[in-house]
Amino acid sequence: MIDIVDLVKQFPGTVRPAVDRLTLSIPDGEVCVLIGPSGCGKTTTMRIINRMIEADAGIVRVGGRDIMQVDTVTLRRRIGYVIQHVGLFPHWTIAENVATVPRLLGWTEARTEARTDELLVMVGMDPSTYRDRFPRELSGGQKQRVGFARALAADPPLMLMDEPFGAIDPITRGRLQDEFLKILRALRKTIVFVTHDIDEAIKMGDRIAILKDGALLQYDTPERVLAEPANSFVSAFVGADRALKRLSPIACATVAVPFAGAAPAQSIDGTASLRDALALMLETGEDVLGVRSGDQWTGVVTLATIRARTVSHRPHESAPPISAP
């Protein structure tokens, strides 16, 4: 659990605080996305959590302990940190980069090598191919994978991710979001994730904190932020197409209904979002899609299901039952 209470930070020469009496709590194992316009205080807040910046007032507790009562080096070694431009050491191999923290912690060579190989496999990079390469030999997406593996090396309970996909092309970015989200969900890490992209926030976050001028305007699930914006600024920030955005956090598998008869002409993986399903329907002209889990059919999703989700204003309730075609 991360508890932030009345946090204040004002930089010299500025008119208003960068962080202005911010209070919020992040439950264990959840992804909290900090988002807002430039200068809203999201990155400052993140950097206060690992004491790269000292707050002027307020309290930050990580796992129940005030971070000001914890040695800075000890604190940072228990927090994974992933940034936009990765920051790999250029003259170290990939294996050496991933092993940075374990070696600082004095792990044995055998344990360090085993953990390095385990993490490279986890992020989809074959150790026999990549461990002895150098960062200059990798693509942007591959470097980001290595940065992520490095942040996980000592199995920290908390991870800070500062626009980790911001410098990557859209296709690679979407794929990495999907892959990293699966890993984070499986590992049950507590994540503070900074982005300026509302679509990324909706996709990655269990909760979204919308900031403006250092102050917290709304803190809730993506569904409720989209369905019930707290004020006109939040409404404008999430966009006029927020009805469509509400489809992004909903997996097809969660709303699929049983079907009888012939299988639909088109199908979609159950992990895909209803927004993906709508795009496929518009592309193919079909109003019913089969929903798959691997090679198994689990049901269908219909255009009526999607329509019900876009017009409903009760994000935490189930949509009305839809009859199978």
Side-chain angles (χ1 to χ4, degrees), residues 285-301:
E286 301 288 337
D287 60 3
V288 179
L289 298 176
V291 178
R292 294 175 282 99
S293 176
D295 295 330
Q296 301 295 316
W297 287 78
T298 60
V300 296
V301 63

Side-chain angles (χ1 to χ4, degrees), residues 92-220:
W92 288 10
T93 66
I94 301 311
E96 289 170 334
N97 270 281
V98 173
T100 301
V101 174
R103 284 179 172 159
L104 288 173
L105 294 175
W107 289 17
T108 65
E109 193 64 27
R111 183 185 178 192
T112 298
E113 288 184 3
R115 179 61 172 166
T116 298
D117 287 352
E118 175 190 6
L119 288 167
L120 288 175
V121 170
M122 184 183 295
V123 300
M125 301 180 72
D126 181 4
S128 64
T129 301
Y130 291 102
R131 66 177 351 269
D132 295 322
R133 291 189 182 182
F134 290 88
R136 64 179 177 273
E137 300 176 78
L138 304 183
S139 68
Q142 289 171 332
K143 289 177 184 177
Q144 203 64 55
R145 290 170 188 268
V146 174
F148 185 66
R150 182 177 62 183
L152 286 171
D155 198 22
L158 168 62
M159 291 187 66
L160 308 179
M161 303 183 74
D162 192 358
E163 302 210 41
F165 311 120
I168 299 173
D169 68 88
I171 294 176
T172 304
R173 180 176 186 169
R175 186 169 63 249
L176 288 179
Q177 287 171 343
D178 291 338
E179 292 174 2
F180 288 177
L181 198 53
K182 288 179 182 178
I183 293 171
L184 294 174
R185 292 281 185 265
L187 297 177
R188 294 291 297 166
K189 300 292 182 185
T190 304
I191 313 293
V192 181
F193 190 107
V194 164
T195 183
H196 66 277
D197 183 335
I198 187 63
D199 290 314
E200 182 168 74
I202 293 165
K203 182 174 184 176
M204 301 296 292
D206 294 302
R207 299 168 189 254
I208 299 176
I210 298 182
L211 306 175
K212 181 177 183 289
D213 296 336
L216 180 65
L217 299 187
Q218 187 165 359
Y219 181 47
D220 216 322

